Amino acid sequence: MSAKGSDRFEYLQTLVTEFQDTDSDEAKEQVLANLANFSYDPKNYDHLRDLQVIDLFLDMLTEENESFVEFGMGGLCNLSMAPELRDFILQNDGINLVINCLSSRNEETVLSAITTLMNLVTANSRSEVTQPGVLHCMLRFSLSESPRLRNLASVFLQDCCSREQVAQAEQQMQRQQQTALGIPLPKE
């Protein structure tokens, strides 16, 4: 490891230690934001993996603090582009954790979750990433007033799903709208 690489590792290690040692939510948010920013750079991937930052980001997805979830999701989104890190996320129940973030009230968290799901699509994971509940969610997002959310959901539906999957999900949603509490509504 070069001196520069060693300095980078030590700095990241200091951040992880600070996160673990502090009781201040504000300090933890700042550290998570910094770690998420460092996860943009592929030069940091090995260090972040060695320091178990991916596990930390995954753990943040179940926190009640919305900022923790946002920064954890943002960090995972950045890391999920690297095939070896994507595989680690997939092996550690990442899909379900990310899917749960689709219901966040924080738009940044939702945008990162959608992007992460797109990054997590492989031949083996496609059916789990494009399960009916996710498709219904993406169809709703594709009608959002937010252009960013609407466009990203549309890209997900085009790039990750077959036309048949989308058509089937649309039909299911229409059937659900035609019934109230399981009671068929009168035909017009």
Side-chain angles (χ1 to χ4, degrees), residues 26-56:
E26 193 173 311
K28 285 184 181 218
E29 286 175 20
Q30 187 64 49
V31 170
L32 281 170
N34 285 327
L35 289 170
N37 284 335
F38 278 105
S39 67
Y40 274 110
D41 189 344
K43 292 178 187 173
N44 297 322
Y45 288 174
D46 288 339
H47 301 315
L48 294 168
R49 185 181 56 239
D50 293 345
L51 292 167
Q52 299 178 325
V53 173
I54 306 167
D55 293 303
L56 175 66

Side-chain angles (χ1 to χ4, degrees), residues 95 99 117-118 120-136 138 156-162 165-166 168-169 172:
I95 292 174
I99 287 172
L117 286 173
M118 293 190 320
L120 293 178
V121 171
T122 66
N124 291 329
S125 67
R126 181 176 301 279
S127 63
E128 190 177 357
V129 172
T130 62
Q131 60 188 272
V134 173
L135 290 182
H136 294 167
M138 294 302 159
F156 179 95
L157 291 167
Q158 289 171 2
D159 291 358
C160 301
C161 309
S162 68
Q165 280 179 301
V166 175
Q168 190 174 18
Q172 288 172 341

Side-chain angles (χ1 to χ4, degrees), residues 43-95:
K43 292 178 187 173
N44 297 322
Y45 288 174
D46 288 339
H47 301 315
L48 294 168
R49 185 181 56 239
D50 293 345
L51 292 167
Q52 299 178 325
V53 173
I54 306 167
D55 293 303
L56 175 66
F57 287 154
L58 287 167
D59 289 345
M60 291 303 103
L61 301 187
T62 57
E63 289 290 322
E64 289 187 24
N65 181 318
E66 288 192 27
S67 293
F68 288 5
V69 176
E70 176 184 349
F71 297 131
M73 193 67 260
L76 280 177
C77 182
N78 296 333
L79 296 173
S80 64
M81 294 186 298
E84 68 277 5
L85 301 179
R86 174 199 64 212
D87 293 344
F88 182 87
I89 295 166
L90 289 170
Q91 292 160 10
N92 287 278
D93 197 33
I95 292 174

Side-chain angles (χ1 to χ4, degrees), residues 129-187:
V129 172
T130 62
Q131 60 188 272
V134 173
L135 290 182
H136 294 167
C137 191
M138 294 302 159
L139 286 168
R140 285 192 303 275
F141 288 155
S142 72
L143 303 173
S144 171
E145 290 180 21
S146 163
R148 293 175 4 168
L149 192 54
R150 183 174 61 241
N151 292 339
L152 193 56
S154 296
V155 169
F156 179 95
L157 291 167
Q158 289 171 2
D159 291 358
C160 301
C161 309
S162 68
R163 286 193 181 127
E164 294 78 22
Q165 280 179 301
V166 175
Q168 190 174 18
E170 287 172 336
Q171 288 173 348
Q172 288 172 341
M173 287 179 70
Q174 286 174 350
R175 281 196 300 271
Q176 288 171 355
Q177 290 172 349
Q178 293 171 354
T179 61
L181 302 174
I183 302 168
L185 296 175
K187 299 218 184 325

